[in-house]
């Protein structure tokens, strides 16, 4: 099975061939804007993680406190099942899930998509963990990860990507999380966080396994 890094690299090459130059310029400028303006507000290693209670695709409430009572927690913030880069990461995390469990950790994926979309993703991909619906990106905001799309980027999503976030997101907001993966220990302390405004790049699951082994 190819690494997540190599799979995402192939995906970047594929989509670069079809993305119009203007749309590419808008998205790249937005990546740089977020790097300059948003990164300082994201929770850091050593910070206490905000607690959350979110519903999965079945409507069941999932509590971070309950999960942490049993061991460390890996949290992956993704944009939604409509994002191919997110889907590729979720697939890689699913393949690595048993490694997380062997180290006593649980995994959840959090995205702003509706419960219905979370349910469809869970079933279609045969996921072994919960995909949680973060209405209005409330939990992403608590971690400092959520951002509002400006008008030029909103235009790219609507007319180039053919995505209407007001329809696919729970709460009908044009907001998204910066993709991020965290390891939270049983005392609710963030022991690792990797966040990148450029959603085309994600850390390897093996990076997360290494952090869990060091706890």
């Amino acid at each position: 099975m190819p690494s997540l890094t190599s799979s995402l690299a192939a995906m970047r090459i594929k989509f670069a061939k079809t993305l119009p130059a203007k749309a590419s310029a808008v998205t790249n400028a937005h990546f740089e804007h977020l790097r300059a303006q948003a990164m300082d507000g994201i929770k850091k290693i050593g910070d206490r993680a905000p607690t959350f209670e979110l519903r999965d695709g079945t409507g069941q409430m999932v509590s971070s406190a309950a999960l942490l009572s049993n061991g460390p927690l890996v949290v992956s913030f993704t944009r939604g099942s409509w994002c191919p880069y997110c889907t590729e990461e979720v697939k890689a995390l699913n393949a690595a899930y048993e490694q997380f469990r062997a180290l006593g950790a649980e995994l959840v994926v959090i995205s702003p998509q509706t419960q219905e979309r979370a349910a469809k993703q869970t079933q279609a991909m045969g996921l072994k963990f919960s995909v949680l619906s973060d209405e209005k990106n409330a939990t992403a905001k608590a971690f400092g990860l959520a951002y509002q799309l400006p008008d030029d980027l909103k235009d790219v999503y609507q007319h180039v990507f053919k995505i209407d976030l007001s329809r696919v997101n729970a709460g009908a907001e044009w907001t998204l999380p910066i993709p991020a993966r965290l390891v939270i220990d049983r005392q609710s302390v963030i022991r690792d966080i990797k966040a990148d405004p450029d959603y085309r790049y994600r850390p390897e699951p093996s990076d997360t396994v290494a952090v869990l082994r060091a706890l």
Side-chain angles (χ1 to χ4, degrees), residues 95-109:
Y97 180 70
E98 298 304 334
Q99 296 180 62
F100 298 158
R101 294 299 295 134
L103 293 167
E106 187 53 85
L107 164 69
V108 293
V109 167

Side-chain angles (χ1 to χ4, degrees), residues 155-170:
D155 185 70
V156 169
Y157 275 64
Q158 287 181 305
H159 299 111
V160 179
F161 297 161
K162 307 299 183 184
I163 294 294
D164 183 349
L165 293 180
S166 68
R167 295 176 65 87
V168 303
N169 279 358

Side-chain angles (χ1 to χ4, degrees), residues 50-122:
T51 58
F52 57 83
E53 292 186 358
L54 299 170
R55 295 192 186 276
D56 64 14
T58 69
Q60 180 178 347
M61 191 68 78
V62 177
S63 160
S64 60
L67 294 174
L68 286 167
S69 69
N70 296 318
L73 180 61
V74 178
V75 180
S76 176
F77 283 91
T78 71
R79 292 143 47 88
S81 59
W82 55 268
C83 170
Y85 296 95
C86 297
T87 299
E88 197 68 18
E89 180 188 14
V90 169
K91 182 168 69 174
L93 289 172
N94 202 41
Y97 180 70
E98 298 304 334
Q99 296 180 62
F100 298 158
R101 294 299 295 134
L103 293 167
E106 187 53 85
L107 164 69
V108 293
V109 167
I110 298 176
S111 83
Q113 66 188 348
T114 62
Q115 288 181 43
E116 293 77 11
R117 284 179 170 268
K120 287 180 180 178
Q121 182 180 21
T122 301

Side-chain angles (χ1 to χ4, degrees), residues 138-159:
T139 300
K141 289 174 183 175
F143 280 85
L145 294 165
Y147 63 90
Q148 182 82 34
L149 276 72
D151 288 342
D152 59 347
L153 189 61
K154 183 177 176 180
D155 185 70
V156 169
Y157 275 64
Q158 287 181 305
H159 299 111

